[in-house]
Amino acid sequence: MIPEEYLYAIALRECSLIGDINFHKLVRTFGSAEEAWKRAKKEYSKAEGIGRKTVADIGNDEYLKFAEKEIRFCEKNHIRINLRHLKEIPSLLNECDDAPAILYQKGNFDDSLPKISIVGTRNMTSYGKQFIGDFFESSKSSKFISVSGLALGVDKEVHEQSIHHKIPTAAVLAHGFHTLYPSKNKKLSEKILEEGGALFTEFNSSRKPDRENFIQRNRIIAGISPSTIVVETGFGGGSVSTASFANDYNREVFALPGKITDPYSQGCNQLIFQNKASSVSTVKDLIDSLGFNHSKEKAAELFPYSETNLQLTENQEIIYLAIKAHPQVSLDDLAQIISTASYKILPVILELELLGKVKSFSGRQFTAI
């Protein structure tokens, strides 16, 4: 039997102007969802930033009826209802101001294990697939949970590689548990559960996979883990929003760089250049950064090179030597030093960064490695 607090929480969250932040304000003010449901309409002024219009829907019997139906659906389908104000959602996610008030869950999720979110384009290339395979092969002796969004492409590969290497994986959905989108991944979702993983969604069983839900879903993927890896994405891809959420939550972001001419590397390159993500230079370095350096297996370099045979172009050499002579030089100062427009320098610096010769800092400052 599910306690009444869950009934009132679902009803309260269903009110038209009660989003996750307002829900949290009301529960914090009145002590519980039940008390907020019973008192907020008359005593709304006690809650900071809550007006009469915000609470207008509270107390509507239709929402209670919906909540009763939702609880029956959850009981029938073995869905766990996690309430944020009862500290039932994953601990890192709970730290986010806009964390979901309610998080529905199927399967198992060991919150004590490290989490890593890995996202990317639906149009994954062989380059991205190889990286994901190499990453899971090199980290298979480590204990962690992979998190992704169960979309086609990179997400699908992340979940499948996790299962293959016996690493638990969690998928965050953009709709209720009454359906599975994309339908092609239905068997994969079942396999995730069979192998001890989990499915999460903040959406109840009335919510379809509408476009706006996917961006909202991405904040959970970013918030649930201390680190997010963006494998491949184009300019403005959904994974860029996941990286932005992770930045807002002060989480680590890594991006897999690629050729500046490859459309599904351009989003990653942009994140790196804007200092919104650290560049992945080798799988070994990435694993070390994630705290997996206890792995006994040697991880191969993703971009192997040796100092003796790495040949820089003339432009690369000029800019590299100037940066080397002026550690943490700014872009504007560098442009003056070599008498070249900054817009001509930027692409070359990105090339040097991808080669592991230059590191960028906030404020568009650079140093030689």
Side-chain angles (χ1 to χ4, degrees):
M1 186 73 178
I2 295 178
E4 284 201 337
E5 179 66 5
Y6 296 80
L7 173 76
Y8 288 106
I10 294 171
L12 185 64
R13 185 61 182 83
E14 194 64 13
C15 295
S16 57
L17 295 181
I18 307 298
D20 294 311
I21 293 175
N22 282 341
F23 182 103
H24 188 56
K25 285 181 181 178
L26 291 172
V27 169
R28 189 173 55 208
T29 301
F30 296 103
S32 70
E34 181 175 359
E35 285 299 306
W37 180 264
K38 293 176 178 178
R39 295 167 51 196
K41 196 163 186 177
K42 292 182 179 179
E43 303 175 38
Y44 65 87
S45 60
K46 291 182 177 180
E48 184 180 353
I50 301 291
R52 183 188 300 275
K53 186 177 179 181
T54 304
V55 300
D57 274 357
I58 296 179
N60 188 328
D61 283 343
E62 290 302 312
Y63 296 140
L64 278 178
K65 291 176 184 176
F66 172 84
E68 290 171 353
K69 181 181 175 183
E70 192 66 17
I71 285 176
R72 287 195 297 271
F73 174 82
C74 290
E75 288 177 326
K76 180 180 178 181
N77 292 281
H78 310 290
I79 297 166
R80 177 175 169 179
I81 306 170
N82 299 307
L83 301 184
R84 181 191 180 191
H85 66 281
L86 297 184
K87 298 190 180 344
E88 294 173 339
I89 69 173
S91 56
L92 278 176
L93 183 60
N94 189 49
E95 295 176 2
C96 306
D97 289 340
D98 58 351
I102 304 171
L103 190 65
Y104 299 94
Q105 174 184 337
K106 276 189 176 185
N108 302 305
F109 186 82
D110 184 352
D111 197 31
S112 68
L113 289 176
K115 274 77 69 178
I116 301 167
S117 295
I118 309 175
V119 296
T121 179
R122 288 167 171 77
N123 301 296
M124 179 182 61
T125 70
S126 58
Y127 171 61
K129 183 173 183 175
Q130 179 189 339
F131 166 76
I132 295 169
D134 289 347
F135 173 80
F136 278 99
E137 178 63 29
S138 299
S139 61
K140 64 183 179 184
S141 62
S142 303
K143 291 186 176 181
F144 67 95
I145 299 173
S146 71
V147 181
S148 199
L150 201 65
L152 299 175
V154 167
D155 292 14
K156 182 174 183 285
E157 187 69 18
V158 168
H159 295 306
E160 289 181 339
Q161 287 289 337
S162 298
I163 291 169
H164 177 72
H165 289 96
K166 307 297 182 186
I167 293 169
T169 187
V172 186
L173 310 180
H175 52 75
F177 276 128
H178 62 297
T179 188
L180 196 289
Y181 179 87
S183 57
K184 290 180 180 179
N185 282 348
K186 183 168 177 54
K187 286 187 178 179
L188 176 57
S189 71
E190 294 168 353
K191 189 70 173 174
I192 289 172
L193 297 177
E194 288 171 10
E195 296 298 321
L199 304 178
F200 287 113
T201 183
E202 64 183 306
F203 301 105
N204 61 49
S205 64
S206 71
R207 300 292 295 276
K208 299 176 182 178
D210 295 325
R211 180 183 293 272
E212 62 270 18
N213 293 356
F214 289 88
I215 298 295
Q216 195 170 326
R217 178 274 308 271
N218 289 348
R219 85 188 193 291
I220 296 179
I221 296 175
I224 207 169
S225 302
S227 304
T228 292
I229 303 170
V230 183
V231 176
E232 289 184 298
T233 189
F235 287 127
S239 300
V240 174
S241 73
T242 308
S244 295
F245 284 123
N247 286 149
D248 291 342
Y249 299 147
N250 292 317
R251 306 292 163 79
E252 279 189 308
V253 180
F254 300 90
L256 179 69
K259 295 178 181 178
I260 60 176
T261 53
D262 289 350
Y264 295 109
S265 286
Q266 289 171 350
C268 289
N269 292 343
Q270 185 183 44
L271 287 170
I272 294 165
F273 186 73
Q274 293 176 340
N275 297 311
K276 294 179 179 178
S278 298
S279 175
V280 176
S281 57
T282 71
V283 173
K284 180 182 183 301
D285 287 346
L286 174 61
I287 289 173
D288 287 346
S289 296
L290 294 170
F292 292 171
N293 50 5
H294 60 276
S295 175
K296 295 179 181 178
E297 297 189 20
K298 184 177 165 112
E301 288 192 352
L302 182 61
F303 302 110
Y305 68 92
S306 68
E307 294 293 340
T308 56
N309 61 20
L310 181 62
Q311 296 294 317
L312 300 180
T313 66
E314 183 179 353
N315 283 342
Q316 288 172 343
E317 184 77 17
I318 291 170
I319 292 172
Y320 172 72
L321 291 175
I323 293 173
K324 190 173 182 180
H326 302 84
Q328 285 204 267
V329 64
S330 71
L331 179 61
D332 290 343
D333 288 344
L334 183 61
Q336 287 187 346
I337 291 166
I338 62 175
S339 302
T340 304
S342 59
Y343 75 89
K344 292 183 179 180
I345 297 174
L346 289 176
V348 181
I349 289 178
L350 179 56
E351 292 168 0
L352 289 169
E353 192 167 4
L354 300 185
L355 289 169
K357 300 292 289 182
V358 165
K359 183 176 178 65
S360 61
F361 297 89
S362 60
R364 290 195 171 184
Q365 294 181 318
F366 311 96
T367 193
I369 299 174

